[in-house]
Amino acid sequence: MPRHSAASPIYTALARLANFNSGRRVLLASRKTSSSSARSSAKTRPFLCLALFRILVVVTAVFLFPPAIMSSSSSSSSAAAASVPFQSPRKVVKKVLSLSQSEGQGATVRRSIGGHEVRNLDPFLLLDEFSVSKPAGFPDHPHRGFETVTYMLDGVFTHQDFSGHTGTIRTGDVQWMTAGRGIVHSEMPAADGVQKGLQLWINLASKDKMIEPRYQELESKDISQAEKDGVAVRIIVGEAFGVRSPVYTRTPTMYMDFTMQPGSQLHQPIPEGWNAFVYIIEGEGVFGKENAVPASAHHCVVLGAGDGLSVWNRSGAPLRFALAAGQPLNEPVVQQGPFVMNSRAQIQQAMEDYYYGRNGFEKASQWSSA
Ligand code: FJE
Ligand code: FE
């Protein structure tokens, strides 16, 4: 994994700056103290000279040999991030433009996570921004070992599965499907025109891969929302601005949809140790640090280690993006299309179970979507 590097050049530079400033503060304090004790100057003068000499040496050395001084100084974890409220702000470690590709039957997706550039961001397996018009779609196909979260951005989608479960989600609605040991379903557009949304795949821990399938469906009006200083958020799972979503996830996850008005800024805590990324839906924004290059629509921004994300909208239009973060499972990931397990033997088992209609796929052979 290319993250968790607290020793990035930027971090190092900020820490060095902080140390350098605290050094100057010491200098001023020692001057004050020495002038107030001027009477015993004969005794203190050698010490004062020594102190000033030492400071001179340190200051010179900082300019001449910055890396050497850094490695021997004590760690200053708060960086010099005066304008953001985090101990260690998360920075952008990767920015990828998601290009359109064909998937399912005639459907188009922009794949960010799960594509060539960001293959797997534990526990996330895939993020597709889909744009689908009838008669294209995602006809009957199986899943095992993970969860799919479908969030409608614009339009209507209907799904049907092999145990008789059907549902329709519209703009702003969410379907959280836990495939567990097995689901066979179809996901198809249910209105004319282009139907758009995001589908996120979240891995399940090995102990949960074979659980009973389950759905959590959320209508747009039931999604927790909050707003503060020009920033609106729809909280699919997790907590923002003190508001918490009631959605339950087996893999600890956060997933929200932010809209930031021009001129607004956001400082969102993200649990330390979780992997996190942003997918920009609309507009453009500055992520991670104030002087970063702005990222625009259809880019996926992978975040480095830290305790929170800062975002600035310095453009003249609203910025909308999805933020996802999750606790890594740290287990082997073996994927074969719609089956995600821990070993090749388990993948082989999944294919046989699907083919022969066993271990959760019993209803697969006599079902097809209407
Ligand atoms: C799948 C190919 C697929 N992204 N975004 C292979 F297209 C799919 C699949 C989807 C999908 C469905 C929706 Cl509604 C949105 C998607 C891929 O269904 F699961 C495999 N294995
Ligand atoms: Fe599916």
Side-chain angles (χ1 to χ4, degrees):
M1 295 273 120
R3 295 170 314 280
H4 309 304
S5 166
S8 75
I10 301 135
Y11 181 89
T12 310
L14 290 172
R16 195 191 302 148
L17 197 64
N19 279 346
F20 183 56
N21 284 339
S22 65
R24 285 237 303 262
R25 246 175 271 124
V26 170
L27 176 71
L28 293 173
S30 70
R31 261 195 199 142
K32 233 183 186 169
T33 322
S34 64
S35 69
S36 66
S37 60
R39 274 165 286 128
S40 50
S41 58
K43 265 188 176 176
T44 54
R45 193 170 292 131
F47 292 101
L48 183 64
C49 286
L50 188 65
L52 281 170
F53 177 73
R54 279 173 137 175
I55 288 155
L56 197 69
V57 167
V58 168
V59 168
T60 313
V62 163
F63 277 105
L64 292 177
F65 311 108
I69 295 296
M70 247 326 278
S71 60
S72 64
S73 68
S74 63
S75 70
S76 141
S77 63
S78 64
S83 59
V84 304
F86 303 119
Q87 281 278 106
S88 51
R90 286 180 181 250
K91 312 271 170 50
V92 174
V93 294
K94 202 166 195 175
K95 187 171 84 172
V96 184
L97 174 64
S98 307
L99 299 171
S100 295
Q101 62 183 77
S102 293
E103 264 302 1
Q105 211 162 82
T108 303
V109 303
R110 287 178 183 270
R111 182 158 299 166
S112 39
I113 308 298
H116 293 292
E117 305 256 17
V118 193
R119 194 135 280 285
N120 178 332
L121 192 71
D122 190 8
F124 303 110
L125 301 162
L126 174 141
L127 179 75
D128 277 355
E129 179 186 6
F130 58 91
S131 286
V132 187
S133 304
K134 285 179 189 173
F138 304 92
D140 312 8
H141 60 276
H143 291 288
R144 174 182 278 182
F146 62 101
E147 304 185 282
T148 69
V149 184
T150 311
Y151 180 43
M152 288 310 293
L153 295 176
D154 189 16
V156 193
F157 245 67
T158 290
H159 60 94
Q160 301 179 25
D161 88 356
F162 71 160
S163 15
H165 182 98
T166 65
T168 296
I169 48 173
R170 297 176 173 78
T171 309
D173 297 350
V174 173
Q175 187 212 50
W176 194 294
M177 183 192 89
T178 306
R181 62 211 297 249
I183 271 181
V184 182
H185 72 168
S186 68
E187 299 156 280
M188 302 299 284
D192 293 328
V194 185
Q195 318 299 309
K196 293 183 184 178
L198 296 176
Q199 188 168 92
L200 179 68
W201 291 12
I202 307 174
N203 205 359
L204 285 168
S206 71
K207 66 171 173 48
D208 293 328
K209 282 188 179 293
M210 295 298 280
I211 57 176
E212 280 300 307
R214 171 183 174 194
Y215 293 92
Q216 297 176 81
E217 262 141 359
L218 285 164
E219 276 187 53
S220 183
K221 64 172 173 54
D222 300 323
I223 291 176
S224 309
Q225 304 196 30
E227 193 164 353
K228 197 178 145 195
D229 304 327
V231 181
V233 60
R234 311 186 78 239
I235 307 153
I236 298 167
V237 59
E239 183 177 328
F241 302 150
V243 177
R244 203 172 170 78
S245 152
V247 169
Y248 170 77
T249 64
R250 276 169 194 78
T251 306
T253 323
M254 123 184 216
Y255 190 30
M256 30 195 84
D257 169 10
F258 284 98
T259 301
M260 295 178 61
Q261 293 309 316
S264 63
Q265 54 178 279
L266 164 71
H267 305 285
Q268 171 65 38
I270 300 172
E272 223 154 350
W274 288 22
N275 287 325
F277 70 91
V278 160
Y279 185 78
I280 300 148
I281 299 165
E282 196 183 298
E284 77 171 38
V286 172
F287 294 84
K289 56 177 181 143
E290 275 195 272
N291 57 347
V293 177
S296 58
H298 312 303
H299 281 84
C300 175
V301 160
V302 179
L303 304 174
D307 56 355
L309 171 68
S310 296
V311 186
W312 295 266
N313 181 359
R314 299 224 194 80
S315 76
L319 161 68
R320 186 178 183 192
F321 62 90
L323 168 66
Q327 186 174 65
L329 297 167
N330 293 314
E331 291 177 2
V333 176
V334 182
Q335 177 169 3
Q336 180 71 247
F339 306 126
V340 183
M341 305 300 289
N342 301 116
S343 69
R344 296 186 62 138
Q346 290 170 343
I347 291 290
Q348 185 63 33
Q349 184 69 50
M351 292 195 290
E352 283 175 23
D353 288 346
Y354 177 53
Y355 186 83
Y356 293 111
R358 297 194 290 231
N359 295 321
F361 286 116
E362 283 77 5
K363 295 176 187 137
S365 57
Q366 67 271 37
W367 179 82
S368 76
S369 59

